[in-house]
Amino acid sequence: MQAAVVPEPGADFEVVERDVPEPDHGEVRVSVDACGICHSDVFTKEGTNPAISYPRVPGHEVAGHVDAVGDGVDAWEVGDRVGVGWHGGHCSTCDQCRQGNFLQCENGEVTGLTYDGGYAEYMTAPSEALARIPESLDAAAAAPLLCAGVTTFNALRNSDASAGDLVAVQGVGGLGHLGIQYAHAAGFETAALSRTPEKESLAKELGADHFINATEVDAGQRLQELGGADVVLATAPSSDAISSIVSGIGVDGSVVVVGVPGEPVEVSAMDLVQTRGAVEGWASGHARDSQDTLEFSSLRDITPEIETYPLEEVETAYGRMIDNEARFRAVLEL
């Protein structure tokens, strides 16, 4: 098989020939149809996580089908359409797993980081890491939903917002353009916040009821004029942008951070005290969360804006992602 490998931290990708892997007990082999390129792949590319060993195949937005089943696997059959996301498996025995917090497993695996991911024609994964992909979803469109999709969908559905509440999505990019669609489909009054006024028409097409140009107005003040946001989904990884929007939450409102900036976020304690507000974070989700995301996306016809590339152009595709040039998700088709 062909695989795009990072041979050492910071090195260029090498597209190499490897033996097709065999699934161990409790694992399945996935024939990869498409794999999204996520900004979190930088952990593997640059070696910024101590859990990585090299060489390593990145990729945690994997859409494909079951090619082989290891011993002890009863839930999956050859031919099943499946996806594998950031959550690459859990131990089921630690305290977090026993409480159902599988994503916070103390011994958890991360696809494309602790084991080889989807920048390859085949990969293996623990059976509990698989989500079923509806037949209506194209593989290339489904792939980004295994990270960008589940992150935004899961954050919104686990927030305190109810249908009709004001939900603001800060950033109209790889995460934000999906967050707007999910917010609209869930029945929220949806506001899109961006520093790029050219994105207004797209935001409205995706379902935004309001577009706030943060370069021309105080976004927090504008949200207060709309009644105060019950939830602000912060998707753009900018500390300044996140800090600036805390003033826009209403009573018992919250800023939910899903796009992680490199610097600390400064918050006005007065804004929080006056509103009983909060700034909180949300990670992506486990396999069942991913499947819920895929099923809801199929039900409501929610798809990402993607660019597709063959595996041999992985360096170009990754570069467009890292330079923020991709509109909005780069996907490898295998």
Side-chain angles (χ1 to χ4, degrees), residues 65-305:
H65 56 276
V66 176
D67 179 72
V69 176
D71 294 338
V73 176
D74 300 319
W76 304 100
E77 297 179 352
V78 172
D80 286 346
R81 298 189 73 216
V82 294
V84 188
W86 176 264
H87 173 70
H90 52 269
C91 70
S92 298
T93 58
C94 71
D95 284 345
Q96 292 301 324
C97 282
R98 293 181 67 192
Q99 296 177 59
N101 298 323
F102 300 123
L103 195 66
Q104 286 73 37
C105 172
E106 297 167 13
N107 307 296
E109 301 280 1
V110 179
T111 313
L113 195 152
T114 60
Y115 64 82
D116 286 338
Y119 288 23
E121 292 178 312
Y122 295 90
M123 64 168 289
T124 57
S127 63
E128 74 271 13
L130 270 58
R132 195 174 300 277
I133 299 178
E135 291 298 327
S136 61
L137 288 179
D138 174 76
L145 302 180
L146 274 303
C147 185
V150 65
T151 297
T152 51
F153 173 77
N154 219 19
L156 288 172
R157 73 168 176 171
N158 283 282
S159 74
D160 291 330
S162 301
D165 286 349
L166 178 62
V167 169
V169 179
Q170 173 255 334
V172 186
L175 290 167
H177 88 288
L178 286 167
I180 292 169
Q181 294 181 73
Y182 290 128
H184 172 73
F188 302 137
E189 181 182 357
T190 305
L193 283 62
S194 177
R195 296 179 182 272
T196 307
E198 293 79 14
K199 291 182 178 179
E200 179 173 2
S201 60
L202 173 63
K204 293 291 185 65
E205 290 174 10
L206 295 174
D209 301 294
H210 314 281
F211 181 83
I212 299 174
N213 180 357
T215 62
E216 292 186 351
V217 301
D218 183 317
Q221 180 178 334
R222 178 68 183 120
L223 286 176
Q224 290 297 341
E225 292 171 357
L226 292 171
D230 294 277
V231 171
V232 178
L233 185 67
T235 72
S238 166
S239 297
D240 290 343
I242 296 171
S243 297
S244 70
I245 206 62
V246 176
S247 61
I249 59 176
V251 175
D252 294 325
S254 61
V255 175
V256 182
V257 179
V258 294
V260 182
E263 289 82 32
V265 176
E266 294 186 1
V267 178
S268 166
M270 184 59 71
D271 286 336
L272 300 182
V273 169
Q274 289 179 329
T275 60
R276 297 195 305 247
V279 177
E280 56 192 85
W282 189 266
S284 55
H286 51 65
R288 182 65 240 191
D289 294 325
S290 291
Q291 187 165 321
D292 290 347
T293 302
L294 293 163
E295 291 172 351
F296 185 80
S297 300
S298 174
L299 181 68
R300 290 291 178 256
D301 196 27
I302 294 172
T303 56
E305 300 277 337

Side-chain angles (χ1 to χ4, degrees), residues 51-74:
I52 307 172
S53 59
Y54 291 88
R56 177 63 74 223
V57 178
H60 60 268
E61 296 182 346
V62 186
H65 56 276
V66 176
D67 179 72
V69 176
D71 294 338
V73 176
D74 300 319

